[in-house]
Amino acid sequence: MKLTILGCHSATPQVDINPTAQILEIKNHTFLIDCGEGTQVELRRNKVKFSRVKHIFISHLHGDHCFGLAGLISTFNLLTREADLHIYAPRGLKEVITLQMKLSGSWTSYQLIFHELSSTQSELIFEDEKVEVYTIPLDHRIYTNGFLFKEKLGERKLNMNNVLNADIDVAYYRKLKQGADVPNKSGANVKNESVTLDPKPPKSYAFCSDTAYNEAIVPIIKGVDVLYHEATFLEKNADLAQPTKHSTAIQAATIAKKANAGELILGHYSTRYNGLEEFKTEAESVFKNVHLARDGRQFDYSKL
Protein backbone atom coordinates (compact mmCIF):
# COMPACT_ATOMS: atom_id res chain seq x y z
CA MET A 1 0.00 0.00 0.00
CA LYS A 2 1.45 3.35 -1.07
CA LEU A 3 -0.12 6.82 -0.85
CA THR A 4 0.97 9.76 -3.01
CA ILE A 5 -0.29 13.23 -2.12
CA LEU A 6 -0.93 15.18 -5.33
CA GLY A 7 -2.56 18.11 -3.55
CA CYS A 8 -3.60 18.77 0.04
CA HIS A 9 -4.74 22.37 0.42
CA SER A 10 -8.22 23.84 0.56
CA ALA A 11 -9.86 26.46 -1.65
CA THR A 12 -7.91 27.78 -4.64
CA PRO A 13 -4.69 26.43 -6.18
CA GLN A 14 -1.58 28.59 -5.99
CA VAL A 15 1.83 28.50 -7.68
CA ASP A 16 3.30 25.99 -5.25
CA ILE A 17 0.26 24.30 -3.71
CA ASN A 18 -2.61 22.26 -5.11
CA PRO A 19 -6.15 21.37 -4.02
CA THR A 20 -7.07 17.86 -2.92
CA ALA A 21 -6.08 14.80 -4.93
CA GLN A 22 -4.35 11.56 -3.93
CA ILE A 23 -3.20 8.32 -5.50
CA LEU A 24 -3.60 5.15 -3.44
CA GLU A 25 -1.79 2.08 -4.76
CA ILE A 26 -3.20 -1.01 -3.08
CA LYS A 27 -3.21 -4.65 -4.20
CA ASN A 28 -2.36 -3.81 -7.84
CA HIS A 29 -4.99 -1.05 -8.01
CA THR A 30 -4.17 2.61 -8.64
CA PHE A 31 -7.08 4.56 -7.14
CA LEU A 32 -7.44 8.32 -7.66
CA ILE A 33 -9.12 10.00 -4.68
CA ASP A 34 -10.58 13.44 -5.45
CA CYS A 35 -9.50 15.48 -8.45
CA GLY A 36 -8.98 19.17 -7.79
CA GLU A 37 -7.69 21.57 -10.44
CA GLY A 38 -4.32 20.60 -11.86
CA THR A 39 -4.54 16.95 -10.89
CA GLN A 40 -3.43 15.70 -14.30
CA VAL A 41 -0.30 17.87 -14.11
CA GLU A 42 0.51 16.46 -10.67
CA LEU A 43 -0.06 12.92 -11.96
CA ARG A 44 2.62 13.58 -14.56
CA ARG A 45 4.92 15.27 -12.07
CA ASN A 46 4.68 12.24 -9.80
CA LYS A 47 5.13 9.81 -12.71
CA VAL A 48 1.76 8.08 -12.27
CA LYS A 49 0.79 6.16 -15.40
CA PHE A 50 -2.58 7.42 -16.62
CA SER A 51 -3.49 4.00 -17.97
CA ARG A 52 -3.37 2.50 -14.47
CA VAL A 53 -6.11 4.79 -13.17
CA LYS A 54 -9.35 2.89 -13.65
CA HIS A 55 -11.32 3.97 -10.57
CA ILE A 56 -11.81 7.54 -9.33
CA PHE A 57 -13.47 8.38 -6.00
CA ILE A 58 -14.89 11.89 -5.56
CA SER A 59 -15.83 12.94 -2.02
CA HIS A 60 -18.11 15.86 -2.90
CA LEU A 61 -18.87 18.44 -5.56
CA HIS A 62 -17.00 21.46 -4.23
CA GLY A 63 -14.59 22.65 -6.90
CA ASP A 64 -11.35 22.06 -5.02
CA HIS A 65 -12.21 18.34 -5.04
CA CYS A 66 -13.55 17.78 -8.56
CA PHE A 67 -12.80 20.65 -10.97
CA GLY A 68 -9.85 18.74 -12.43
CA LEU A 69 -11.98 15.79 -13.50
CA ALA A 70 -13.30 17.08 -16.85
CA GLY A 71 -9.79 17.94 -17.99
CA LEU A 72 -8.44 14.56 -16.93
CA ILE A 73 -11.25 12.73 -18.75
CA SER A 74 -10.51 14.79 -21.87
CA THR A 75 -6.78 14.06 -21.69
CA PHE A 76 -7.46 10.35 -21.33
CA ASN A 77 -9.46 10.62 -24.56
CA LEU A 78 -6.68 12.48 -26.39
CA LEU A 79 -4.31 9.69 -25.35
CA THR A 80 -6.67 7.19 -27.08
CA ARG A 81 -7.64 5.45 -23.88
CA GLU A 82 -9.72 2.31 -24.39
CA ALA A 83 -10.21 0.97 -20.85
CA ASP A 84 -13.42 1.74 -18.94
CA LEU A 85 -13.21 4.48 -16.30
CA HIS A 86 -15.32 4.04 -13.15
CA ILE A 87 -16.25 7.19 -11.21
CA TYR A 88 -17.75 6.93 -7.72
CA ALA A 89 -19.25 10.28 -6.79
CA PRO A 90 -22.30 12.06 -5.36
CA ARG A 91 -25.38 12.17 -7.53
CA GLY A 92 -25.12 15.14 -9.87
CA LEU A 93 -21.54 14.75 -11.10
CA LYS A 94 -22.65 12.53 -13.98
CA GLU A 95 -24.97 15.32 -15.15
CA VAL A 96 -22.17 17.90 -14.91
CA ILE A 97 -19.60 15.83 -16.81
CA THR A 98 -22.10 14.63 -19.43
CA LEU A 99 -23.15 18.21 -20.16
CA GLN A 100 -19.52 19.31 -20.51
CA MET A 101 -18.81 16.47 -22.91
CA LYS A 102 -21.98 17.20 -24.89
CA LEU A 103 -21.53 20.95 -25.27
CA SER A 104 -17.85 20.66 -26.14
CA GLY A 105 -18.37 17.81 -28.59
CA SER A 106 -15.91 15.75 -26.59
CA TRP A 107 -17.56 12.35 -26.14
CA THR A 108 -15.01 9.84 -24.97
CA SER A 109 -13.90 6.88 -27.06
CA TYR A 110 -13.85 4.84 -23.85
CA GLN A 111 -16.73 4.11 -21.50
CA LEU A 112 -17.42 6.36 -18.52
CA ILE A 113 -19.23 4.40 -15.82
CA PHE A 114 -20.70 6.53 -13.05
CA HIS A 115 -21.58 5.03 -9.68
CA GLU A 116 -23.77 7.74 -8.15
CA LEU A 117 -23.82 7.94 -4.37
CA SER A 118 -26.67 9.27 -2.27
CA SER A 119 -26.86 7.12 0.88
CA THR A 120 -26.23 8.73 4.26
CA GLN A 121 -25.15 5.35 5.65
CA SER A 122 -21.80 3.66 5.08
CA GLU A 123 -22.05 1.29 2.12
CA LEU A 124 -19.82 -1.04 0.13
CA ILE A 125 -19.23 0.58 -3.27
CA PHE A 126 -16.38 -1.49 -4.71
CA GLU A 127 -15.20 -5.04 -4.18
CA ASP A 128 -13.01 -7.58 -5.91
CA GLU A 129 -11.04 -10.56 -4.68
CA LYS A 130 -8.41 -8.36 -3.01
CA VAL A 131 -9.94 -5.02 -1.93
CA GLU A 132 -13.15 -3.53 -0.50
CA VAL A 133 -14.09 0.16 -0.53
CA TYR A 134 -16.73 1.63 1.77
CA THR A 135 -18.15 5.14 2.01
CA ILE A 136 -17.67 7.16 5.21
CA PRO A 137 -20.59 9.62 5.54
CA LEU A 138 -19.16 13.01 6.54
CA ASP A 139 -20.64 16.22 7.94
CA HIS A 140 -20.05 19.01 5.45
CA ARG A 141 -22.05 21.82 3.87
CA ILE A 142 -23.11 19.57 0.98
CA TYR A 143 -23.44 15.80 0.62
CA THR A 144 -19.97 14.37 1.25
CA ASN A 145 -18.33 10.98 1.72
CA GLY A 146 -14.95 9.84 2.82
CA PHE A 147 -13.70 6.44 1.69
CA LEU A 148 -12.37 3.42 3.56
CA PHE A 149 -10.08 1.14 1.57
CA LYS A 150 -9.53 -2.32 3.05
CA GLU A 151 -7.33 -5.14 1.84
CA LYS A 152 -8.79 -8.61 2.11
CA LEU A 153 -6.84 -11.27 3.94
CA GLY A 154 -4.34 -12.81 1.53
CA GLU A 155 -3.41 -16.42 0.97
CA ARG A 156 -1.28 -18.37 3.43
CA LYS A 157 2.44 -18.66 2.65
CA LEU A 158 4.09 -22.00 2.05
CA ASN A 159 6.86 -22.95 4.48
CA MET A 160 8.80 -24.79 1.78
CA ASN A 161 11.15 -26.66 4.13
CA ASN A 162 8.17 -28.11 6.00
CA VAL A 163 6.23 -28.76 2.80
CA LEU A 164 9.11 -30.74 1.30
CA ASN A 165 9.77 -32.61 4.53
CA ALA A 166 6.07 -33.56 4.68
CA ASP A 167 6.38 -35.00 1.16
CA ILE A 168 3.35 -33.15 -0.25
CA ASP A 169 2.70 -33.31 -3.97
CA VAL A 170 2.91 -29.96 -5.80
CA ALA A 171 -0.69 -30.47 -6.95
CA TYR A 172 -1.82 -29.63 -3.41
CA TYR A 173 0.14 -26.36 -3.04
CA ARG A 174 -2.83 -24.27 -4.12
CA LYS A 175 -5.09 -25.86 -1.49
CA LEU A 176 -2.43 -25.27 1.15
CA LYS A 177 -2.35 -21.57 0.28
CA GLN A 178 -6.13 -21.51 0.68
CA GLY A 179 -5.83 -22.94 4.21
CA ALA A 180 -6.84 -26.56 3.63
CA ASP A 181 -5.35 -29.68 5.20
CA VAL A 182 -4.04 -32.07 2.51
CA PRO A 183 -2.74 -35.65 2.20
CA ASN A 184 0.92 -36.30 1.54
CA LYS A 185 2.23 -38.80 -1.02
CA SER A 186 1.76 -41.63 1.50
CA GLY A 187 -1.86 -40.67 2.11
CA ALA A 188 -1.33 -39.29 5.62
CA ASN A 189 -3.23 -36.10 6.46
CA VAL A 190 -1.03 -33.01 6.93
CA LYS A 191 -2.34 -30.14 9.06
CA ASN A 192 -2.20 -26.84 7.22
CA GLU A 193 -0.67 -24.85 10.08
CA SER A 194 2.28 -27.25 10.21
CA VAL A 195 3.44 -26.39 6.68
CA THR A 196 2.22 -22.83 6.06
CA LEU A 197 2.72 -19.37 7.51
CA ASP A 198 0.11 -16.71 8.25
CA PRO A 199 -0.38 -14.08 5.52
CA LYS A 200 0.55 -10.48 6.21
CA PRO A 201 -2.22 -8.64 8.10
CA PRO A 202 -4.47 -6.78 5.64
CA LYS A 203 -3.89 -3.03 5.55
CA SER A 204 -6.49 -0.27 5.54
CA TYR A 205 -6.66 3.43 4.67
CA ALA A 206 -9.38 5.96 5.50
CA PHE A 207 -9.75 9.25 3.63
CA CYS A 208 -11.84 11.89 5.45
CA SER A 209 -12.13 15.27 3.77
CA ASP A 210 -14.09 17.60 4.13
CA THR A 211 -15.95 17.34 7.43
CA ALA A 212 -16.81 18.97 10.70
CA TYR A 213 -15.80 17.06 13.83
CA ASN A 214 -17.96 13.95 13.65
CA GLU A 215 -17.63 11.09 16.12
CA ALA A 216 -20.22 9.09 14.14
CA ILE A 217 -17.45 7.99 11.77
CA VAL A 218 -15.40 6.38 14.55
CA PRO A 219 -17.10 2.93 14.42
CA ILE A 220 -16.63 2.83 10.63
CA ILE A 221 -12.88 3.50 10.75
CA LYS A 222 -12.13 1.72 14.04
CA GLY A 223 -8.61 0.25 14.00
CA VAL A 224 -7.69 1.68 10.59
CA ASP A 225 -3.97 1.55 9.87
CA VAL A 226 -3.75 5.01 8.29
CA LEU A 227 -6.23 7.86 8.63
CA TYR A 228 -6.11 10.96 6.46
CA HIS A 229 -8.29 13.57 8.11
CA GLU A 230 -8.80 17.15 7.09
CA ALA A 231 -7.36 19.84 9.37
CA THR A 232 -8.39 23.07 7.73
CA PHE A 233 -7.86 25.22 10.81
CA LEU A 234 -5.58 25.64 13.79
CA GLU A 235 -7.11 25.95 17.23
CA LYS A 236 -6.83 29.75 17.21
CA ASN A 237 -9.39 29.73 14.38
CA ALA A 238 -11.63 27.01 15.86
CA ASP A 239 -14.55 29.42 15.75
CA LEU A 240 -14.48 29.11 11.95
CA ALA A 241 -14.61 25.32 11.88
CA GLN A 242 -18.24 24.64 12.80
CA PRO A 243 -19.94 27.25 10.56
CA THR A 244 -17.84 26.14 7.57
CA LYS A 245 -18.17 22.43 8.48
CA HIS A 246 -14.45 21.84 8.71
CA SER A 247 -12.11 20.50 11.42
CA THR A 248 -9.11 21.66 13.40
CA ALA A 249 -5.89 19.71 13.81
CA ILE A 250 -6.83 18.84 17.38
CA GLN A 251 -10.26 17.60 16.29
CA ALA A 252 -8.66 15.40 13.62
CA ALA A 253 -6.29 13.99 16.22
CA THR A 254 -9.19 13.31 18.58
CA ILE A 255 -10.94 11.26 15.89
CA ALA A 256 -7.70 9.32 15.27
CA LYS A 257 -7.36 8.60 18.98
CA LYS A 258 -10.98 7.50 19.42
CA ALA A 259 -10.71 5.27 16.34
CA ASN A 260 -7.43 3.76 17.57
CA ALA A 261 -5.85 4.53 14.20
CA GLY A 262 -2.30 3.43 13.53
CA GLU A 263 -1.27 6.84 12.26
CA LEU A 264 -2.79 10.16 11.24
CA ILE A 265 -2.05 12.25 8.16
CA LEU A 266 -3.27 15.84 8.28
CA GLY A 267 -4.26 17.81 5.19
CA HIS A 268 -6.69 20.26 3.54
CA TYR A 269 -4.97 23.20 5.17
CA SER A 270 -6.43 26.66 4.82
CA THR A 271 -4.23 28.90 2.70
CA ARG A 272 -4.40 31.56 5.44
CA TYR A 273 -1.43 29.88 7.18
CA ASN A 274 2.18 30.43 6.15
CA GLY A 275 3.56 27.23 7.68
CA LEU A 276 2.33 23.75 8.59
CA GLU A 277 4.41 22.65 11.59
CA GLU A 278 1.90 24.11 14.05
CA PHE A 279 -0.73 21.69 12.71
CA LYS A 280 1.52 18.78 13.66
CA THR A 281 2.34 20.25 17.07
CA GLU A 282 -1.31 20.78 17.95
CA ALA A 283 -2.37 17.31 16.77
CA GLU A 284 0.47 15.63 18.69
CA SER A 285 -0.89 17.06 21.92
CA VAL A 286 -3.72 14.51 21.49
CA PHE A 287 -2.37 11.74 19.21
CA LYS A 288 1.32 10.92 18.86
CA ASN A 289 1.76 9.36 15.42
CA VAL A 290 1.05 12.39 13.21
CA HIS A 291 2.31 13.23 9.72
CA LEU A 292 1.77 16.26 7.51
CA ALA A 293 0.52 15.82 3.96
CA ARG A 294 2.54 17.86 1.49
CA ASP A 295 2.18 18.03 -2.27
CA GLY A 296 4.32 15.28 -3.78
CA ARG A 297 4.92 13.45 -0.50
CA GLN A 298 4.70 9.67 -0.58
CA PHE A 299 3.86 7.29 2.25
CA ASP A 300 4.95 3.69 1.68
CA TYR A 301 3.22 1.08 3.83
CA SER A 302 4.50 -2.05 2.11
CA LYS A 303 6.27 -3.11 5.31
CA LEU A 304 3.26 -2.63 7.61
Side-chain angles (χ1 to χ4, degrees):
M1 187 171 79
K2 185 170 79 171
L3 179 69
T4 301
I5 306 296
L6 304 176
C8 59
H9 288 76
S10 64
T12 58
Q14 297 183 17
V15 172
D16 55 349
I17 59 175
N18 295 280
T20 301
Q22 304 181 356
I23 284 288
L24 180 68
E25 297 171 71
I26 181 171
K27 291 289 188 181
N28 295 321
H29 289 292
T30 300
F31 292 141
L32 175 61
I33 309 170
D34 275 351
C35 191
E37 288 181 70
T39 292
Q40 61 176 305
V41 175
E42 295 308 307
L43 287 169
R44 292 190 184 278
R45 195 189 311 278
N46 288 277
K47 297 180 171 55
V48 178
K49 290 185 177 180
F50 283 11
S51 61
R52 289 192 58 82
V53 178
K54 297 177 181 177
H55 302 269
I56 300 176
F57 299 85
I58 302 296
S59 63
H60 63 297
L61 301 190
H62 281 159
D64 55 333
H65 295 261
C66 67
F67 276 178
L69 185 58
L72 183 61
I73 289 171
S74 177
T75 296
F76 283 169
N77 198 45
L78 292 172
L79 295 175
T80 65
R81 180 188 179 103
E82 296 180 356
D84 295 347
L85 182 64
H86 293 262
I87 300 172
Y88 305 79
R91 181 176 295 160
L93 186 61
K94 178 180 180 180
E95 180 182 357
V96 171
I97 296 297
T98 301
L99 184 60
Q100 287 180 306
M101 298 297 105
K102 175 184 176 182
L103 296 182
S104 63
S106 302
W107 294 115
T108 59
S109 56
Y110 58 94
Q111 189 171 3
L112 286 175
I113 302 171
F114 287 89
H115 305 262
E116 295 192 286
L117 308 176
S118 58
S119 176
T120 57
Q121 303 296 316
S122 179
E123 59 180 344
L124 177 67
I125 58 172
F126 172 84
E127 181 180 21
D128 65 9
E129 68 278 4
K130 294 183 177 180
V131 179
E132 296 175 331
V133 184
Y134 295 84
T135 57
I136 307 170
L138 300 177
D139 180 15
H140 195 40
R141 300 191 304 277
I142 62 173
Y143 177 74
T144 305
N145 287 299
F147 301 102
L148 174 62
F149 301 84
K150 299 175 67 175
E151 293 181 346
K152 292 185 177 180
L153 188 65
E155 293 184 331
R156 297 186 65 78
K157 308 296 182 183
L158 298 181
N159 183 332
M160 286 310 301
N161 284 335
N162 291 8
V163 169
L164 294 173
N165 288 336
D167 200 24
I168 299 171
D169 191 282
V170 67
Y172 288 107
Y173 285 6
R174 181 65 180 161
K175 283 188 173 296
L176 286 174
K177 291 180 179 180
Q178 294 172 344
D181 298 339
V182 300
N184 65 11
K185 292 178 182 178
S186 300
N189 190 57
V190 180
K191 291 291 186 183
N192 187 278
E193 60 268 23
S194 69
V195 292
T196 65
L197 303 171
D198 292 337
K200 287 184 178 180
K203 294 179 279 290
S204 56
Y205 173 66
F207 169 85
C208 295
S209 182
D210 301 8
T211 184
Y213 179 75
N214 181 19
E215 292 186 5
I217 71 173
V218 169
I220 301 171
I221 63 173
K222 196 76 171 178
V224 71
D225 290 306
V226 184
L227 169 63
Y228 174 94
H229 195 291
E230 76 125 282
T232 305
F233 298 110
L234 292 171
E235 203 60 25
K236 63 187 177 184
N237 300 118
D239 60 310
L240 300 177
Q242 184 56 36
T244 59
K245 294 290 187 177
H246 284 298
S247 297
T248 67
I250 284 179
Q251 288 173 336
T254 302
I255 292 294
K257 184 176 181 179
K258 288 181 178 293
N260 195 30
E263 66 180 66
L264 170 65
I265 302 174
L266 300 177
H268 201 262
Y269 319 107
S270 169
T271 53
R272 73 183 61 235
Y273 304 110
N274 293 322
L276 302 180
E277 286 303 319
E278 199 171 345
F279 285 91
K280 189 172 190 288
T281 300
E282 288 193 357
E284 285 178 336
S285 68
V286 175
F287 183 83
K288 295 305 178 188
N289 198 2
V290 178
H291 304 281
L292 294 174
R294 297 180 189 273
D295 293 9
R297 185 173 182 182
Q298 291 187 340
F299 298 86
D300 191 345
Y301 299 103
S302 57
K303 292 186 170 66
L304 262 186

